[in-house]
Amino acid sequence: ETGVTQTPRHLVMGMTNKKSLKCEQHLGHNAMYWYKQSAKKPLELMFVYNFKEQTENNSVPSRFSPECPNSSHLFLHLHTLQPEDSALYLCASSQDRVPGELFFGEGSRLTVL
Amino acid sequence: GESVGLHLPTLSVQEGDNSIINCAYSNSASDYFIWYKQESGKGPQFIIDIRSNMDKRQGQRVTVLLNKTVKHLSLQIAATQPGDSAVYFCAEVSGGGADGLTFGKGTHLIIQP
């Protein structure tokens, strides 16, 4: 248990669906992150939030929409995704914006049909 | 562009032997490095870190070595156990204070009984 909880763990959706991934951290951290993990590729940073403010959008398509209502919660809203968006989406948190140790959740495995 | 990478995608070792996982980086401005372990079905977990003003750092059964001259990082695991089976990632943070880490692709460590 890392203190970062992601739901759902598995999600299957069609290209026209709208769904959301949720992340919650119980560590009192100030920064939260979304990463994408695809097979045979390095972890890709998608979004960074620091004190609820988005500080980085790493050229992510607009069909991915993050939301950070408070320092403990982070959402990733999904709309009209493509099959190539199928991947493991990892949420992480760190005490500060410049990460020392990132604490990762167990990920949400997304399959787009 | 500059990137972090790993020499071998898969490493197979006998239980009880020592494991050495290597990582090459190309950004000479990187000043902080982290090793993560990702077990099947889980998110990455912090193992050990090292700053660029150090050459070696030891943890419990793990040692990280940093050779800045050749831009090489290694993770040594002593007396490898079945629970060490996982994918190991090195990651770097550049001196600019990135909002995330740049990860390598990972090395899959397989423990033979």
Side-chain angles (χ1 to χ4, degrees):
Chain A
E1 177 59 50
T2 64
V4 180
T5 304
Q6 290 187 242
T7 55
R9 293 293 310 279
H10 300 273
L11 178 62
V12 179
M13 59 187 289
M15 290 190 284
T16 59
N17 292 158
K18 286 184 182 181
K19 297 286 184 183
S20 296
L21 306 180
K22 178 183 176 182
C23 176
E24 183 175 0
Q25 59 99 357
H26 315 276
L27 302 168
H29 288 167
N30 299 319
M32 296 187 76
Y33 310 77
W34 279 116
Y35 279 88
K36 177 183 178 182
Q37 187 174 38
S38 305
K40 300 181 181 179
K41 292 177 69 175
L43 281 165
E44 300 173 63
L45 178 64
M46 299 175 71
F47 300 104
V48 183
Y49 278 81
N50 190 45
F51 290 99
K52 303 187 299 178
E53 299 296 322
Q54 186 179 130
T55 59
E56 184 161 335
N57 176 337
N58 207 23
S59 302
V60 180
S62 59
R63 56 186 184 268
F64 293 92
S65 175
E67 179 189 0
C68 188
N70 55 62
S71 293
S72 299
H73 293 86
L74 186 64
F75 295 89
L76 188 61
H77 303 299
L78 315 169
H79 182 219
T80 60
L81 295 191
Q82 304 298 310
E84 60 265 29
D85 296 322
S86 298
L88 182 69
Y89 289 85
L90 289 160
C91 174
S93 70
S94 66
Q95 182 62 50
D96 300 304
R97 178 180 173 180
V98 178
E101 180 179 348
L102 280 178
F103 289 78
F104 284 89
E106 298 197 331
S108 293
R109 173 68 63 186
L110 173 66
T111 302
V112 182
L113 302 176
Chain B
E2 295 181 336
S3 64
V4 175
L6 291 160
H7 291 314
L8 296 172
T10 302
L11 177 65
S12 184
V13 299
Q14 293 288 324
E15 183 178 347
D17 287 352
N18 296 335
S19 302
I20 299 176
I21 301 171
N22 296 305
C23 180
Y25 66 95
S26 56
N27 186 352
S28 56
S30 296
D31 58 3
Y32 181 53
F33 303 87
I34 304 178
W35 281 100
Y36 282 88
K37 171 187 179 182
Q38 186 173 20
E39 297 177 74
S40 179
K42 296 186 177 182
Q45 212 175 357
F46 173 94
I47 302 174
I48 192 168
D49 60 0
I50 189 168
R51 298 205 174 268
S52 59
N53 61 352
M54 302 172 69
D55 297 321
K56 179 180 180 179
R57 189 159 189 227
Q58 287 185 292
Q60 188 176 15
R61 278 202 309 120
V62 295
T63 301
V64 56
L65 298 176
L66 176 62
N67 186 331
K68 295 180 286 294
T69 302
V70 295
K71 299 192 188 75
H72 184 266
L73 191 69
S74 68
L75 177 70
Q76 300 178 2
I77 304 173
T80 313
Q81 302 170 359
D84 295 327
S85 290
V87 176
Y88 290 82
F89 301 91
C90 65
E92 64 178 328
V93 177
S94 68
D99 283 326
L101 300 172
T102 301
F103 286 87
K105 291 185 180 179
T107 293
H108 187 193
L109 179 64
I110 298 171
I111 311 303
Q112 304 284 356

